[in-house]
Amino acid sequence: MVKTVGLPAEIKDGERRVALDPSAVKMLVHADYVPLVEKGAGMGSGFSDEDYRLAGARIVDNAGEAWSADLVCKVKEPQQSEWVYFRQGLKLFAYLHLAAAPALTGALVEAGVEAYAFETLIWPKGHPLLAPMSEIAGRAAAIMGAFHLTEGSGTLLGGASGVPPARVVVLGMGVAGTMAARGARGMEAEVTGVDIDLERLFEVHEQQIVTSTLYSNHHNIGEAVASADLVISAALVTGAKAPVLITRDQVESMRPGSVIVDLAIDQGGSMETSRPTSLSHPTYVEAGVIHYCVTNVPGQYPRTSSRALSAAVIPRLLDLARDAKSDHLAGSLNVSQGKVVHPAVAASLQGNYVTEIG
Ligand SMILES: NC(=O)c1ccc[n+]([C@@H]2O[C@H](COP(=O)([O-])OP(=O)(O)OC[C@H]3O[C@@H](n4cnc5c(N)ncnc54)[C@H](O)[C@@H]3O)[C@@H](O)[C@H]2O)c1
């Protein structure tokens, strides 16, 4: 039975979000749970310990005390230094992205943690715990892409009189892709939206969110990226490793100084040339192309992100605390009783997690 809910401070590089704001903590208290909030957990998002105390939380001095709770709720996947807190029967609710994290998966499996992932929860539809962060990451992708073009080819998205606008290709027209396209269109770039879902392509075409649409296959993507100034990937297959949509030779076909923003990097990345980067070192150059592959893009907008995430998380957290088998948690259980139980995650890892421990 869940009595205590832990809220540890985030420790991933540059991460300033917190999973629950004081208003959500108040809801936990109202439902008779005891929130254990690590000292300073909300500081990066502008919430003081006093704000949490007034909401009814117990402020604890260190991460160990927050992790001692029956149920731990946090933003990012536990970093290696946090794995010591894993134990049999602990309930964990966070972004996990296990398809791209075999070592973390092994640690959760070995310890017997009941691990529920925000990003694979699919009730009542879509990905309600991924969507708020995808919305923010999508908007940020347009901003980051436009910014890093100043370090690369020096192309301004909107062009100028006598100079055509930049070409932006967005792969995956879901929540993140749509917001990225809107951001790039807002800066008056020419935007091509790419997806395998023709209905979705109809919608974004009809609503003029993009200037053109393209069916996603290797040939079409190759032609589009060869003339692109900025490529943003936001393609997702729930729970699975991201599909690799752009090969190395296609990246090499891009003009030097072009930019790739690979939001799908948290699921392993959409480019053959992608590898995870951090908020303190967000980019690298490969094949002459600037790659921005930050795995926690919304972490740099903590005030907005934490409130948006908290609003989405709190009703499901209350469900999880009351009844871990609730239908409202559909799809979120990834690891249970020493096994990977999410089919797409299991298929992506193909049992390759245990061997990578340690
Ligand atoms: N890096 C970050 O900080 C960050 C933050 C938030 C979200 N994300 C990631 O962004 C990605 C997108 O999330 P979302 O919420 O927008 O997902 P979503 O489910 O709303 O959209 C995914 C889209 O990808 C499309 N798709 C699937 N296979 C495709 C293919 N082969 N070619 C083209 N399109 C394809 C789907 O049809 C869908 O429209 C996820 O990997 C998510 O984890 C990253």
Side-chain angles (χ1 to χ4, degrees):
M1 204 171 83
V2 172
K3 286 190 179 146
T4 49
V5 178
L7 190 66
E10 297 297 317
I11 59 167
K12 187 166 174 144
D13 176 84
E15 184 56 69
R16 287 154 61 207
R17 283 173 290 179
V18 63
L20 300 174
D21 67 12
S23 75
V25 161
K26 212 174 210 175
M27 289 170 73
L28 278 178
V29 173
H30 192 69
D32 279 338
Y33 298 105
V34 179
L36 306 179
V37 176
E38 185 181 349
K39 196 168 62 184
M43 289 304 278
S45 303
F47 304 120
S48 67
D49 292 343
E50 189 56 16
D51 294 334
Y52 284 104
R53 209 186 321 268
L54 287 173
R58 190 182 299 166
I59 306 299
V60 295
D61 281 335
N62 54 53
E65 287 180 74
W67 277 92
S68 73
D70 305 318
L71 165 57
V72 167
C73 180
K74 67 188 302 301
V75 183
K76 287 309 287 181
E77 70 282 354
Q79 306 298 291
Q80 199 155 0
S81 64
E82 296 175 306
W83 298 358
V84 294
Y85 305 124
F86 290 174
R87 60 183 193 277
Q88 181 81 28
L90 166 69
K91 287 189 173 64
L92 173 64
F93 198 31
Y95 289 114
L96 296 175
H97 301 289
L98 296 182
L104 170 60
T105 308
L108 292 167
V109 165
E110 286 282 290
V113 174
E114 299 290 298
Y116 295 79
F118 290 166
E119 72 277 6
T120 55
L121 194 150
I122 50 168
W123 188 90
K125 62 182 169 55
H127 307 106
L129 295 189
L130 182 60
M133 295 305 98
S134 292
E135 191 182 337
I136 290 166
R139 282 190 197 277
I143 298 168
M144 294 301 143
F147 172 72
H148 287 291
L149 276 168
T150 64
E151 298 164 351
S153 67
T155 306
L156 179 65
L157 286 195
S161 306
V163 184
R167 291 190 175 162
V168 179
V169 173
V170 181
L171 306 171
M173 293 309 299
V175 177
T178 299
M179 297 314 286
R182 282 182 52 169
R185 284 292 293 138
M187 290 184 260
E188 301 193 349
E190 217 178 84
V191 181
T192 301
V194 183
D195 208 302
I196 43 170
D197 180 343
L198 292 178
E199 257 181 68
R200 186 64 198 137
L201 289 185
F202 174 78
E203 286 166 2
V204 294
H205 174 70
E206 199 261 331
Q207 294 165 15
Q208 298 181 9
I209 289 166
V210 293
T211 32
S212 62
T213 59
L214 193 63
Y215 177 64
S216 176
N217 64 32
H218 183 68
H219 177 90
N220 288 349
I221 290 174
E223 281 191 348
V225 301
S227 59
D229 298 290
L230 169 62
V231 174
I232 297 171
S233 178
L236 172 69
V237 179
T238 311
K241 205 147 193 288
V244 174
L245 299 177
I246 301 189
T247 53
R248 174 172 285 277
D249 57 310
Q250 289 175 329
V251 173
E252 284 167 355
S253 77
M254 294 174 72
R255 186 189 307 126
S258 305
V259 173
I260 286 174
V261 175
D262 193 352
L263 291 180
I265 192 67
D266 53 5
Q267 292 289 135
S270 296
M271 329 285 159
E272 242 172 34
T273 49
S274 296
R275 55 176 189 271
T277 60
S278 62
L279 283 170
S280 28
H281 296 98
T283 60
Y284 60 90
V285 178
E286 183 109 17
V289 174
I290 296 174
H291 289 59
Y292 178 96
C293 301
V294 173
T295 52
N296 55 335
V297 173
Q300 63 201 303
Y301 301 100
R303 183 73 176 171
T304 305
S305 302
S306 298
R307 296 178 70 196
L309 181 62
S310 176
V313 165
I314 187 60
R316 279 89 186 186
L317 180 67
L318 286 167
D319 285 330
L320 178 54
R322 274 187 215 115
D323 171 16
K325 293 197 171 14
S326 163
D327 290 347
H328 297 185
L329 299 166
S332 68
L333 187 58
N334 278 215
V335 175
S336 179
Q337 299 184 2
K339 285 197 191 77
V340 177
V341 294
H342 189 289
V345 175
S348 286
L349 289 164
Q350 296 176 329
N352 283 330
Y353 40 91
V354 178
T355 51
E356 298 210 11
I357 298 176

